[in-house]
Structures are given as structure tokens and as C-alpha cells.
Amino acid sequence: GLIARAVAWAQEKAVKLGQAALLAYLLIDIAVYAVLGLIVRSAFRAMRGHEPWEDPKEFLVAAAATWAGNNATRPLRLAGAAALAPGVQWA
């Protein structure tokens, strides 16, 4: 489908651009993890009334939610890295 074609396009472009694509992907990945971590923490705090790191089990739940959200955005991150790689390569 559409997502498979987008991922294939992004992977093809990433191979062509090499290190610039990898750097662009890592920059996007760090930003996504940071935003998702804040969203999960805020939601957790609003639902439970305390920070997730106050209990090891709840921290693992929050970490898993952040990881799952990050995995759901992989096609978008790949496409974004392919789009940003020429600019990273230029810089």
C-alpha cells in the first residue's frame, strides 16, 4: 500500500544518501523520543497523579508506551530523514 511504497522510497533514498540520511534519521528520532516522552509523562501524571518514575513498574509502562509510540512513527521518520538528508549533506 501507500505506507509500504513510502518506506521503500525512503529506504532507497537513504541508501543513496548514506551518512547524511543516517544523521538526519538520528536527529529526527531524538526529537520524536523527546516529544513522546513528554507526552507520556504528562498523560501519566494526569491519570495517576504522580510521576511514572516513582514506581519501577509504572516507569516500565511509561517507557514501553514511549517506545511503542516511537515505533508507530517509523515510516514518517524514514521519509523525513530522506527529505532532510540533502540539507544535512549540504551542511
Side-chain angles (χ1 to χ4, degrees):
L2 179 62
I3 292 177
R5 283 187 286 158
V7 169
W9 172 81
Q11 287 174 337
E12 180 181 311
K13 193 138 178 149
V15 168
K16 182 179 169 185
L17 294 168
Q19 291 179 348
L22 177 61
L23 181 57
Y25 182 82
L26 290 174
L27 291 172
I28 291 170
D29 200 36
I30 290 168
V32 169
Y33 263 117
V35 170
L36 286 173
L38 291 173
I39 291 170
V40 168
R41 177 189 172 261
S42 296
F44 195 94
R45 220 172 143 198
M47 289 171 43
R48 306 269 172 108
H50 62 276
E51 299 291 345
W53 48 80
E54 291 178 10
D55 179 17
K57 289 180 184 177
E58 291 178 344
F59 176 77
L60 290 176
V61 169
T66 303
W67 177 80
N70 193 47
N71 281 339
T73 65
R74 181 171 292 141
L76 296 173
R77 290 182 287 128
L78 284 170
L84 288 177
V88 170
Q89 191 172 26
W90 177 79

